[in-house]
Amino acid sequence: MKWSSKAGRRFFLVAGFMFLFYSLLMVFASISTGAFFAGYELVYVSSAVMAFCLAYLYPQFKENDERSKKIRERGMFFSYIFIMGYMLILMALFQFQIIDLNGYQTVSLLTSLTIITVFSSFVILSKRY
């Protein structure tokens, strides 16, 4: 059974709204218990962003042509540069003790930034190419 373009987009939109709802629920629960920014909240938010980006990109990525390969290749290249920048900034913030995060929070923050950067760069490049 072949999925149509609308069914694939609809799936990612529903998943995006579910992740958005879960992230709002987790943020509210974290704030109400006084333990805000445990780390997992940002992962849910970035998963929602990823699902919305994939809903937008689904018709283009469904066809595995040269254009979609170029978007993926360039997107990963630009994301790599930004991720290195995030790491340098975080290292400086830790070195000068401007922020104080534990290991789980730091990994969650980097994971979230990576997911958001990669998929938003795909969307930006899909408009360009």
Side-chain angles (χ1 to χ4, degrees), residues 38-94:
Y40 51 81
E41 304 97 342
L42 289 179
V43 177
Y44 278 110
V45 171
S46 64
S47 298
V49 170
M50 176 185 69
F52 289 132
C53 288
L54 285 174
Y56 178 78
L57 294 168
Y58 183 79
Q60 298 161 17
F61 281 3
K62 179 177 76 166
E63 313 290 327
N64 201 11
D65 58 352
E66 272 306 305
R67 181 175 175 265
S68 67
K69 288 180 183 177
K70 187 173 186 176
I71 291 169
R72 287 184 187 124
E73 178 183 312
R74 296 279 178 149
M76 292 303 290
F77 174 73
F78 290 129
S79 297
Y80 174 76
I81 293 169
F82 277 100
I83 291 165
M84 288 292 121
Y86 298 150
M87 289 184 188
L88 286 173
I89 291 170
L90 275 175
M91 284 191 297
L93 292 174
F94 281 128

Side-chain angles (χ1 to χ4, degrees), residues 1-5 7 58 62:
M1 181 168 117
K2 232 178 172 182
W3 282 36
S4 68
S5 177
Y58 183 79
K62 179 177 76 166

Side-chain angles (χ1 to χ4, degrees), residues 19 23 26-27 36-51 53 79 82-83 86-87 90 101 103-121:
F19 279 123
S23 64
M26 292 294 176
V27 166
F36 183 63
F37 191 57
Y40 51 81
E41 304 97 342
L42 289 179
V43 177
Y44 278 110
V45 171
S46 64
S47 298
V49 170
M50 176 185 69
C53 288
S79 297
F82 277 100
I83 291 165
Y86 298 150
M87 289 184 188
L90 275 175
L101 301 175
Y104 182 75
Q105 291 170 332
T106 306
V107 171
S108 295
L109 180 65
L110 280 174
T111 301
S112 300
L113 287 172
T114 301
I115 291 171
I116 290 171
T117 303
V118 168
F119 287 97
S120 61
S121 69

Side-chain angles (χ1 to χ4, degrees), residues 28-37:
F28 179 73
S30 295
I31 291 173
S32 66
T33 59
F36 183 63
F37 191 57

